Amino acid sequence: MQVAYHIGVHGTDGDRMLKTLLNNRGWLLTNRTEVVTPNRHRGVFEEALAALNGGAATPEMEDIMLDAVLDSDDPRRVIFTSASFLGVPARAVGPEGLYPQIGARIAALANLFPSATAEFLVAIRNPATLIPDVVALHGGDYGSLMGGVDPLTLTWLPTVQRMAAGAQGRRLVVWCHEDVPLIWPDVVRLVGGIPDDAPLPGGLLYLHEILGDQGLRELRAALAGRNLSVGERRDLYSDHLQRNALPEMVEQEITLPGWTQETVDQISARYYDDLAQIAALSGVEFVVA
């Protein structure tokens, strides 16, 4: 059995992955793939993670958890999706940087079903836009979240290295949240194990939010009857985003204590410089837009 964990991070998904996968439930169930909603696994996993304390579940524990969370019998692939796998937003920043516990969390999740083939799929995001959203999730308390950490030191490279170490050779797929409007169908297929030749209801969900109803109608008209390659499709998406994106969906006002435009620019520059190193990391499958 394959077990796929889509683990966030905070401020990157908003349940869109879950909604899109559920839109494809017919294909998934036909192909022995079950999507487990957070309300089914949340309490079960929290109790098991606490009891195991990083250790591996026994076969008996695995059976008990599967009986508690699954509707189908003998699935080939089971998908769990929730940013809560990373803990509360308050733990998103620590002295070691972004998500200091992420490696241990990934290792612990893998140990929930040690007999299964586990894989981990995660979106990362520019800290300059991530931190304001995490602050909001944390109740607006910037000082408490940061704990004195200099925002200019926040970088994803060591965090992804911790992910790879926690995965211990298991599949680890990483993509940039900023690229999601262009690659949404691709990452949904990766999470769902859905092949390229299968229909994908909800494949334009992200673009609909950014383009609005009229923009989506124009995009659908441009796509109609065309058999495009992945590159051609992304070019078309990019063109429509440049022309029709709703300003309120692509602009973010950042008002954090002590932050200036220079702060945002410096954090962003470091983030984009790091991406080439992240894409080259051993054990990381990086989705390129």
Side-chain angles (χ1 to χ4, degrees):
M1 182 178 72
Q2 300 171 349
V3 177
Y5 295 97
H6 173 239
I7 62 173
V9 297
H10 298 103
T12 62
D13 182 64
D15 292 334
R16 297 178 185 88
M17 181 63 71
L18 178 62
K19 292 175 183 176
T20 305
L21 290 172
L22 292 177
N23 280 340
N24 290 271
R25 181 180 283 173
W27 185 95
L28 293 171
L29 290 178
T30 299
N31 289 273
R32 296 173 56 206
T33 299
E34 181 168 348
V35 182
V36 181
T37 57
N39 64 304
R40 289 185 64 87
H41 67 66
R42 187 176 291 117
V44 175
F45 281 8
E46 288 174 354
E47 182 177 338
L49 290 169
L52 291 168
N53 193 27
T58 64
E60 292 77 16
M61 287 186 67
E62 288 188 80
D63 288 341
I64 290 170
M65 286 187 287
L66 290 173
D67 286 343
V69 302
L70 295 182
D71 287 327
S72 59
D73 296 324
D74 192 30
R76 178 187 60 85
R77 182 178 178 85
V78 181
I79 302 167
F80 302 104
T81 171
S82 176
S84 68
F85 290 140
L86 301 179
V88 296
R91 297 180 180 176
V93 178
E96 301 87 353
L98 291 167
Y99 295 98
Q101 298 177 333
I102 197 168
R105 295 289 290 186
I106 284 177
L109 287 169
N111 278 335
L112 288 176
F113 302 104
S115 67
T117 301
E119 57 187 59
F120 300 89
L121 306 103
V122 56
I124 63 176
R125 181 178 176 184
N126 184 349
T129 61
L130 171 66
I131 294 303
D133 278 8
V134 176
V135 168
L137 293 171
H138 185 51
D141 191 341
Y142 174 76
S144 171
L145 174 71
M146 298 298 290
V149 173
D150 183 350
L152 295 178
T153 66
L154 296 179
T155 172
W156 276 105
L157 180 58
T159 304
V160 178
Q161 289 172 325
R162 288 193 289 271
M163 291 188 211
Q168 299 176 339
R170 299 175 179 89
R171 188 184 192 194
L172 173 63
V173 182
V174 177
W175 61 88
C176 293
H177 176 67
E178 294 77 17
D179 294 336
V180 165
L182 301 180
I183 64 173
W184 181 245
D186 309 292
V187 297
V188 172
R189 291 183 187 279
L190 283 169
V191 175
I194 303 171
D196 291 341
D197 59 354
L200 190 72
L204 296 177
L205 181 148
Y206 244 105
L207 285 166
H208 188 187
E209 292 184 13
I210 297 173
L211 297 174
D213 292 342
Q214 179 58 37
L216 182 68
R217 281 193 290 270
E218 292 184 20
L219 176 59
R220 287 190 185 280
L223 289 168
R226 300 176 67 180
N227 185 20
L228 302 176
S229 67
V230 171
E232 290 170 337
R233 187 196 73 215
R234 291 178 182 176
D235 286 343
L236 184 65
Y237 286 2
S238 179
D239 176 61
H240 281 256
L241 285 166
Q242 291 178 26
R243 291 191 289 108
N244 295 326
L246 302 174
E248 65 271 20
M249 298 302 299
V250 294
E251 297 173 0
Q252 180 176 358
E253 183 179 2
I254 298 174
T255 55
L256 294 177
W259 284 40
T260 64
Q261 184 61 51
E262 184 179 4
T263 307
V264 173
D265 292 343
Q266 289 180 0
I267 295 172
S268 300
R270 184 168 185 180
Y271 170 62
Y272 288 111
D273 285 345
D274 271 351
L275 293 182
Q277 296 182 69
I278 291 171
L281 284 176
S282 176
V284 176
E285 184 178 331
F286 189 75
V287 182
V288 179

